[in-house]
Amino acid sequence: MSVLAESAVGHDELAVLKLLALEGGLEGDVKISCSHLAERLDASNQTASRRLQRLESADLLERDTVSDGQWVAITDDGEHTLHAEYEDYRRIFETDSQVELEGTVTSGMGEGRHYISLSGYKRQFEERLGYEPFPGTLNVDLRDDSVRRRSAMASLEPVPIDGWESDERTYGPAVCYPATIETADGEVYDGAYTIAPERTHHDDDQLEVIAPAKLREELALEDGDHVTVSVGDRE
Ligand SMILES: Cc1cc2nc3c(=O)[nH]c(=O)nc-3n(C[C@H](O)[C@H](O)[C@H](O)COP(=O)(O)O)c2cc1C
Ligand SMILES: Nc1ccn([C@@H]2O[C@H](COP(=O)(O)OP(=O)(O)O)[C@@H](O)[C@H]2O)c(=O)n1
Ligand SMILES: [Mg+2]
């Protein structure tokens, strides 16, 4: 989501950042003058200059002032900020689309097997997903852009898995989304689900996938192999 709440940068500065990106500020240095910027913003030179300063202070922009203007370049943080806005708009306009996430297969902590096998969850998988999953979760280490894109999943319709309790302890809820896995060789597996347990030891850079079959065998996957996971309604 937006970083606006936690920095001194507001919507006015963000509008400037967007303008600079439209002028090529993501590809490298662009030369601008404050008067040109002021005109585009319909604001005074001082206002334009102040917004640039704030963007620079927040490390969203790098500047090099020369006699007839300045060279500016949007930093990685600046790009992330714009990208967060882009993801918000994606969620607004692409309500029923698929979300494509890319990453590499990785080994986890060997706990997925235990949780997937518990009867309190297994019952729900059979009822709500229509099958008993292979005991385990295939863990996918998401690329940075996919970690960000993951937030777009919020606009999709999840299959909820409820929390439950045994005599000894409580187990947390989880959400599942239908998913298709494609390998680098173009092998496709349809009928999987992503599963996001509310209580997990992983950060959101790790995506867990369940399926009736052992995906490592079905798709000949090993750690480090690239996969694309298309999340959302099946077409
Ligand atoms: C359906 C499901 C429910 C889970 N519920 C809990 C839970 O209640 N408490 C907890 O600490 N971890 C829970 N986990 C998370 C696991 O401990 C672990 O973080 C995650 O599944 C990754 O395991 P892996 O690295 O072995 O693949 C759950 C996992 C799954 C798949
Ligand atoms: N549908 C599935 C689920 C898990 N798996 C694999 O089965 C093994 C057991 O899953 P797990 O979640 O307990 O293990 P890790 O993900 O922690 O390595 C792992 O090697 C998973 O990658 C699979 O190939 N297909
Ligand atoms: Mg796992």
Side-chain angles (χ1 to χ4, degrees):
M1 279 292 280
S2 164
V3 298
L4 297 184
E6 66 214 43
S7 75
V9 171
H11 293 284
D12 288 343
E13 283 75 24
L14 201 62
V16 174
L17 200 62
K18 177 175 144 193
L19 212 83
L20 296 172
L22 285 170
E23 302 212 351
L26 287 176
E27 280 83 49
D29 292 316
V30 285
K31 193 160 178 215
I32 53 151
S33 71
C34 264
S35 54
H36 164 72
L37 191 62
E39 202 176 298
R40 294 283 312 261
L41 294 171
D42 197 19
S44 67
N45 277 11
Q46 290 93 318
T47 300
S49 164
R50 195 172 58 240
R51 290 183 192 166
L52 287 172
Q53 269 165 24
R54 288 202 182 131
L55 286 167
E56 188 182 26
S57 306
D59 290 329
L60 304 181
L61 196 69
E62 278 170 1
R63 295 199 291 166
D64 187 17
T65 308
V66 290
S67 59
D68 59 342
Q70 49 193 312
W71 291 90
V72 301
I74 296 172
T75 63
D76 286 350
D77 282 353
E79 183 170 349
H80 288 172
T81 302
L82 283 175
H83 208 278
E85 292 298 307
Y86 172 61
E87 290 300 349
D88 285 349
Y89 280 107
R90 197 203 289 277
R91 282 165 66 178
I92 292 168
F93 291 114
E94 299 182 17
T95 46
D96 56 2
S97 66
Q98 288 213 335
V99 180
E100 282 207 353
L101 304 175
E102 292 183 53
T104 51
V105 171
T106 181
S107 288
M109 294 171 296
E111 286 185 9
R113 173 194 306 267
H114 168 70
Y115 282 94
I116 296 296
S117 309
L118 293 171
S119 60
Y121 288 126
K122 216 153 65 172
R123 246 185 321 105
Q124 299 186 59
F125 294 142
E126 282 168 7
E127 253 176 53
R128 298 178 190 178
L129 308 184
Y131 56 75
E132 179 180 324
F134 173 84
T137 60
L138 180 81
N139 297 26
V140 178
D141 202 359
L142 294 177
R143 253 169 38 175
D144 284 354
D145 58 338
S146 290
V147 177
R148 291 197 290 277
R149 187 171 309 150
R150 194 180 176 158
S151 62
M153 283 167 68
S155 71
L156 306 173
E157 199 62 45
V159 180
I161 302 295
D162 301 325
W164 53 283
E165 38 187 292
S166 69
D167 294 341
E168 294 97 46
R169 57 166 282 196
T170 64
Y171 293 88
V175 285
C176 295
Y177 293 94
T180 300
I181 323 294
E182 183 169 355
T183 68
D185 304 337
E187 292 276 331
V188 175
Y189 186 97
D190 203 10
Y193 278 85
T194 63
I195 184 160
E198 196 172 283
R199 300 178 197 164
T200 176
H201 305 295
H202 293 300
D203 293 326
D204 59 3
D205 61 354
Q206 195 130 138
L207 186 72
E208 291 183 76
V209 179
I210 58 175
K214 181 166 190 177
L215 293 166
R216 281 183 188 268
E217 276 175 13
E218 204 71 26
L219 296 170
L221 290 170
E222 289 174 8
D223 280 2
D225 285 353
H226 182 273
V227 287
T228 304
V229 183
S230 302
V231 186
D233 291 334
R234 301 203 168 87
E235 277 147 14

